[in-house]
Amino acid sequence: MIDFNIPPFVGKEIQYIEQAVKNKKICGDGEFTKKCSRWMEERFQVNHCLLTTSCTHALEMAAVLSGIQPGEEVILPSYTFVSTADAFVQRGAKLVFVDIRPDTMNLDECLLEDAITEKTRVIVPVHYAGVGCAMDEILDIAKRHSLKVVEDAAQGVGAYYKGRALGTIGDFGCYSFHETKNYSMGEGGALLFQEEEFIEKAEVLREKGTDRSKFFRGQVDKYRWVDYGSSYLPSDLNAAYLWAQLEMADEIRKDRLESWNYYHERLEGLERAGCIERPFVPDYADHNAHMYYIKVKDLEERGKLIQFLKEREIHTVFHYVPLHSAPAGRKFGRFHGEDRYTTRESERLLRLPMYYQLTREKQDQVVKAIEEFYE
Ligand SMILES: *Cc1c(COP(=O)(O)O)cnc(C)c1O
């Protein structure tokens, strides 16, 4: 049996959770939360990193901080997870979907400008598979039209665009530490940003609309309700789990990249034979091996391949029914321009088993089974 995903576990998680209990501080913003956010600020060269309860919640915070108002528009790919859209729907925004590039599965930056109207406020690039979007072009367009850029970097922790960490390039970046991501705390995420002007508002938003963060730092003598807010801070127990993973961040990254490269090498023959396509990584991208996918001929062939692999106890998955074709996507948004690649490419894509400490032996089994399928 080969699982599609096994949550990462490096060994020290339990010890750190125990430490959090001994600290008598299991709510938010304890020792481990601070360790994790300081570590990310240094490692990823970003002025502010706030740990959150999920990437979905980091996106919600970014949507509020972006200042988007009901009826205004956000441009995003249709090929993404629902959270990218939900966060803006919650603010009453209209979704404008644009097509993706077939090579990286990221939104096509060449289509952005045409989708902009006088109501557009935000662009949300999603760094699919931890491979960065064309950020220079996107930032240039955003600047010329005074738009905010919110990076959905859920899959991009530890990945880089021209040397800059994904999630630190736009106005706001959102990470995920869900158990299916490279580094995990069960459920969790982070909001990142460079600008000083957002820190006070972000802290208030994260702390139920109060200035409790200031109170804990001794900057005010009592905390009060100062603005709209919610509860976006994770328990320090979860942060303790994450801290063990961040300490091992380089090892986890290296291990995943080795597995990624091994698939890539072993599947070259099938690509040459014209059976499948392998993922493409542009020169500017330093990816994090978040996922390994192949593309097959079409929907029908993919269904057969999934079944074939399942019979051999190999679990593979596809995802993202394009949002614009889903009931909520139709209700809250519209597709701008032609759907040349979103539907077609999403129907061809299949994700292979990928997790920390996946063995070469298991990868050989996966590759052999795919080869058999095409014989
Ligand atoms: C996983 C994921 C999310 C959601 O992350 P959670 O931490 O589960 O909320 C959002 N966007 C993308 C692209 C993702 O892959």
Side-chain angles (χ1 to χ4, degrees), residues 54-56 81 83 126 152 154-155 176 178 181 188 320:
S54 64
C55 180
T56 304
F81 189 56
S83 300
V126 179
D152 182 339
Q155 304 176 7
S176 174
H178 185 260
K181 300 302 199 291
Y320 303 160

Side-chain angles (χ1 to χ4, degrees), residues 282-299:
D283 285 337
Y284 65 66
D286 190 4
H287 75 107
N288 59 357
H290 172 63
M291 82 170 78
Y292 197 90
Y293 65 78
I294 59 172
K295 285 187 191 168
V296 302
K297 194 168 114 250
D298 54 22
L299 187 63

